[in-house]
Amino acid sequence: MSPRTRLLAPAVGLLILSACGAPPEALPTSPPLPPAGGSVSPGSVPAGGLAPPSIYSPPPMATPTYTYPTGPVTTTTTTITRPATTLPTTTAGPAPSYAPRCTGEPTGPQIVALAKSSPAVPDGNLAVLDGPYCAGGWSFTTVGMTGEEPLSVVATGTGTALELVTAGTDVCNPTVKARAPAGIRAMACGS
C-alpha cells in the first residue's frame, strides 16, 4: 500500500464531514388567505397582504345617435386612368437546357450492355430507368436494379462505336464538365 493511499481515507472522511453545517432554514410561508365566505369588504386590504381580486365592469356608455339625410343622394364618379405598368425582368441567366430523348442509337439495351462492361457497375439484372437522352454525340441514361441505388451512365458514340465515359452515382467528373454538350452536362451535373 502506498503511503499516500493511507491518507486518502481520512481526507475523504474529513471532506464529507466539513460539508455539514447548520441545517437549512424553513422557507417563508404565504400570508393567510381571506375566508371563502367573503367577509372582507371590497376595496379593503387584508391584514396579511394583497387586496382580493375584483371583477372589473366598465362604466356604462351612451349609445350615439345619428341623423340620416332624407333628401336625394347624388353620387360622383371619377375615372382614374393609370399608365400601364410592366414588371421588371430578371436576368439570372438561361435555365439549363436538357438533352432530348434519343431517336435512334444508342438504345436502352446498348447502354445496359455498355454499363455491365464497367467494373464500377455491380453484377446484376440492370434495367433502363430513364433515357437515353442524346446531344452532340453524347448520351445520358439512368439504369438500376432492384434494391440498389440508381446509376447514371454517360457515353459517347453510337452502335459499335459506343464508348463509356463514366458510370456511377455521381457522373459529374472533369471530362463531363469540360467536354459534354450543355444538355448532357445539365443532366449529369445539375447545371
Side-chain angles (χ1 to χ4, degrees), residues 123-153:
D123 293 332
N125 189 17
L126 282 180
V128 173
L129 301 177
D130 194 20
Y133 297 94
C134 294
W138 288 62
S139 64
F140 177 87
T141 310
T142 304
V143 297
M145 64 180 103
T146 306
E148 297 292 329
E149 187 175 3
L151 302 173
S152 299
V153 178

Side-chain angles (χ1 to χ4, degrees), residues 31-35 38-54:
L33 296 174
S39 64
V40 178
S41 62
S44 69
V45 177
L50 300 174
S54 64

Side-chain angles (χ1 to χ4, degrees), residues 23 29 31 33 36 39 44 46 51 69 73 79 81 84 87 90 95 102 106 117 119 122 135 145 160 166 178 187:
T29 60
L33 296 174
S39 64
S44 69
V73 177
T79 304
T81 305
L87 297 175
T90 58
C102 300
S117 70
M145 64 180 103
T160 57
T166 184
M187 296 179 88

Side-chain angles (χ1 to χ4, degrees), residues 3-34:
R4 292 184 186 160
T5 309
R6 285 186 290 147
L7 299 176
L8 184 61
V12 170
L14 185 61
L15 182 64
I16 291 173
L17 291 175
S18 68
C20 294
E25 295 180 14
L27 295 174
T29 60
S30 66
L33 296 174

